[in-house]
Amino acid sequence: MDERLYIARDAAMHHAQTPKEKVALLFKIFWPIMVTQVGLYAMNLVGTMMAGRSGTDDLAGVAIGSSIWMPVFTGMNGILMAVTPIVSQLLGSGQRHKIGESVTQSLYLSVLLSVIVLVVGAVFLEPLLSLMVLEPNVHHITKHFLIGLSFGIVPLFAANVLRYFFDAQGYTHIMMAIMLLVVPVNVVLNYFFIFGKFGFPALGGIGVGYATAATYWFIFIICVIITFKVKNMRTYHLFVKWFSPSLKTWREQLRIGVPMGLSVFFESSIFAVVTLLVSTMFSTVTIAAHQASINFTSLLFMVPLSISMALTIVVGFEAGGRRFADAKQYARLGVTSAIGMMAIFSLFLYFFREQIAHLYSDNGEVVDLVKQFLIFAIFYQMSDAAQASLQGVLRGYKDVTIPFVTALASYWGIGIPVGYGLASFTDWGPFGFWIGITAGLTCAALGFLLRLFIIQKR
């Protein structure tokens, strides 16, 4: 008991007494998550850009392959994100002795999910690509990019379990340090595999898949080493003490994780579907402007997304310890911070929209359209910040099923239909889709807020 108390006092995650301490702790957890998320975003962006240097077909193949992979990864990763509220609540309730087994079971589940993805991919990848009627070379690059990437799926999912395990204890700086280390490594590996340097084969866009897979293995190995080298991690005996697979534990994680994964999937897929619809309904100039605007605002979204993940940790910790007043204070602090920061970013978007547009194109038509899209982005970014942070709070309470239904109804029952209707049958044109996105995100935010009031009253 004395050892457990000592470890608890020494842990990064702790009960903050005053509002000032709560602000400091939330920021301490938040900013490394933000750096990590930007690093992941940069890794994907740089790979795509380097593939483009190898040729247009390589760029198209990597872009198409990424568009196929990302929804799969998003959904499966959402299931693994359940590790954060589970571990944070166990930590907050003083049940540290259960954490090691819980994380081990999550590692087992991550391997099972990886195998499922690999089997489904082996069966359906070729038929899916055939349906897309791609040019032969693009088809080849897309397929083998994904085959190369598949070698890193098992370590990627397992590393994410360990990431959420670290994060739930407040050690968000661990993954930040890993990302700062591996992003340059990934760039070098891309250079080797794409262009055939230092004895590596010149694979073009296909090489991005193999470089990414190798990077995932690198991340996983570092995470495993940390579980042995960091004092507070060694106490859980991960990879030392093994447990028999437990269907009961898997069911708990799936009960929390599946709705989380589906919520994230439906939110991210609304942007993919809108992009697809824009590409079939409007000109190449409009498509380019739309994609440039989405690309830049997605980078800004890393801030409220990171706040959301931090809120899951701190709210889960306080809720696990049944300190509900403190959990409520964190919710209020985090949500207002997310909206406030996006309000500042909105001013930046408004006053610097022309300069932002020129980052993506020198074409006058594209620049003019990007400037207009960014005006609409101001409104949807505010709603996006609100819904993301509120979802983070609800996940901390392990309340995920009703939010999933709310997300599905808002994004697909309101956002897509409203956007398509405005784009097709009014003079709003492509901007109608952005109004639809804003409507869907706003409805989701209101639904999450109502649900939070109900949970807090209980």
Side-chain angles (χ1 to χ4, degrees):
M1 177 62 72
D2 292 338
E3 182 184 2
R4 289 201 298 271
L5 288 174
Y6 170 76
I7 295 169
R9 286 196 301 269
D10 193 45
M13 193 64 235
H14 61 273
H15 173 58
Q17 301 280 353
T18 66
K20 183 178 179 180
E21 290 175 350
K22 286 181 171 63
V23 171
L25 179 59
L26 183 62
F27 181 77
K28 179 182 177 181
I29 292 171
F30 149 73
W31 77 265
I33 295 177
M34 183 181 67
V35 174
T36 300
Q37 292 302 123
V38 172
L40 290 168
Y41 182 87
M43 203 165 79
N44 181 60
L45 179 64
V46 169
T48 303
M49 291 172 63
M50 292 180 74
R53 295 292 182 182
S54 184
T56 304
D57 286 353
D58 295 274
L59 176 60
V62 172
I64 294 168
S66 297
S67 69
I68 293 171
W69 164 242
M70 287 309 297
V72 176
F73 168 71
T74 299
M76 293 299 174
N77 187 55
I79 296 174
L80 302 176
M81 285 171 62
V83 172
T84 299
I86 290 172
V87 171
S88 61
Q89 287 209 12
L90 287 173
L91 191 66
S93 62
Q95 301 181 76
R96 292 178 58 91
H97 59 286
K98 295 183 179 181
I99 292 176
E101 180 176 2
S102 177
V103 175
T104 300
Q105 296 295 337
S106 297
L107 287 168
Y108 294 158
L109 184 59
S110 74
V111 175
L112 177 61
L113 293 175
S114 301
V115 171
I116 292 172
V117 170
L118 290 170
V119 171
V120 171
V123 174
F124 292 103
L125 178 58
E126 182 60 37
L128 175 62
L129 294 177
S130 297
L131 286 173
M132 298 177 72
V133 196
L134 302 171
E135 294 181 8
N137 195 37
V138 175
H139 180 118
H140 174 78
I141 292 169
T142 302
K143 178 179 178 178
H144 288 275
F145 161 77
L146 289 170
I147 289 174
L149 184 67
S150 70
F151 286 99
I153 290 177
V154 172
L156 170 64
F157 285 6
N160 278 351
V161 169
L162 295 176
R163 175 202 171 171
Y164 299 132
F165 161 63
F166 299 150
D167 286 357
Q169 300 173 79
Y171 295 111
T172 53
H173 63 281
I174 290 178
M175 204 63 196
M176 177 191 71
I178 292 173
M179 285 308 303
L180 291 175
L181 175 65
V182 302
V183 168
V185 171
N186 178 251
V187 172
V188 172
L189 289 173
N190 276 322
Y191 181 68
F192 289 170
F193 279 106
I194 293 172
F195 303 109
K197 302 298 182 180
F198 297 94
F200 285 80
L203 300 176
I206 295 171
V208 178
Y210 288 95
T212 303
T215 304
Y216 291 155
W217 276 105
F218 190 50
I219 293 171
F220 174 66
I221 290 169
I222 296 175
C223 287
V224 173
I225 292 172
I226 286 171
T227 64
F228 288 98
K229 293 297 184 180
V230 176
K231 175 184 174 183
N232 283 351
M233 301 304 164
R234 289 200 304 269
T235 62
Y236 297 108
H237 307 295
L238 295 178
F239 305 104
V240 174
K241 185 177 182 180
W242 297 94
F243 302 87
S244 299
S246 169
L247 294 179
K248 178 182 178 182
T249 306
W250 289 6
R251 278 196 299 269
E252 180 192 5
Q253 179 160 352
L254 291 172
R255 179 182 61 81
I256 299 170
V258 169
M260 287 175 63
L262 290 173
S263 295
V264 175
F265 171 78
F266 286 126
E267 180 187 355
S268 60
S269 63
I270 189 176
F271 293 97
V273 170
V274 165
T275 299
L276 178 63
L277 290 172
V278 168
S279 67
T280 60
M281 296 170 61
F282 299 99
S283 68
T284 302
V285 169
T286 303
I287 297 168
H290 166 83
Q291 195 57 42
S293 303
I294 288 289
N295 182 267
F296 190 82
T297 54
S298 295
L299 179 61
L300 296 182
F301 179 66
M302 295 299 106
V303 174
L305 176 63
S306 301
I307 292 176
S308 172
M309 297 172 75
L311 283 170
T312 299
I313 296 168
V314 294
V315 171
F317 181 81
E318 299 296 357
R322 305 194 69 78
R323 294 179 292 270
F324 297 117
D326 294 287
K328 190 173 182 178
Q329 289 177 12
Y330 274 122
R332 188 181 303 112
L333 170 64
V335 173
T336 54
S337 296
I339 295 173
M341 292 184 78
M342 290 313 294
I344 295 172
F345 288 157
S346 294
L347 292 174
F348 173 80
L349 282 177
Y350 181 80
F351 288 110
F352 294 96
R353 61 190 186 278
E354 182 165 356
Q355 289 85 344
I356 294 168
H358 280 289
L359 292 174
Y360 290 89
S361 178
D362 291 324
N363 182 299
E365 290 182 83
V366 173
V367 168
D368 288 340
L369 276 174
V370 171
K371 288 164 59 179
Q372 295 176 68
F373 276 127
L374 291 179
I375 294 292
F376 287 90
I378 290 173
F379 298 98
Y380 102 69
Q381 288 273 83
M382 298 296 290
S383 298
D384 213 4
Q387 69 84 23
S389 55
L390 287 165
Q391 264 203 101
V393 174
L394 291 169
R395 288 168 184 163
Y397 286 112
K398 290 185 179 178
D399 185 69
V400 291
T401 303
I402 298 299
F404 153 64
V405 175
T406 302
L408 176 60
S410 299
Y411 303 146
W412 285 85
I414 297 173
I416 293 291
V418 169
Y420 182 78
L422 290 174
S424 301
F425 306 112
T426 72
D427 294 333
W428 285 107
F431 305 114
F433 283 116
W434 289 60
I435 296 172
I437 290 174
T438 304
L441 293 172
T442 302
C443 289
L446 292 173
F448 297 152
L449 182 61
L450 177 61
R451 180 62 181 172
L452 180 58
F453 286 152
I454 294 172
I455 292 296
Q456 290 179 337
K457 285 183 179 179
R458 288 179 181 173

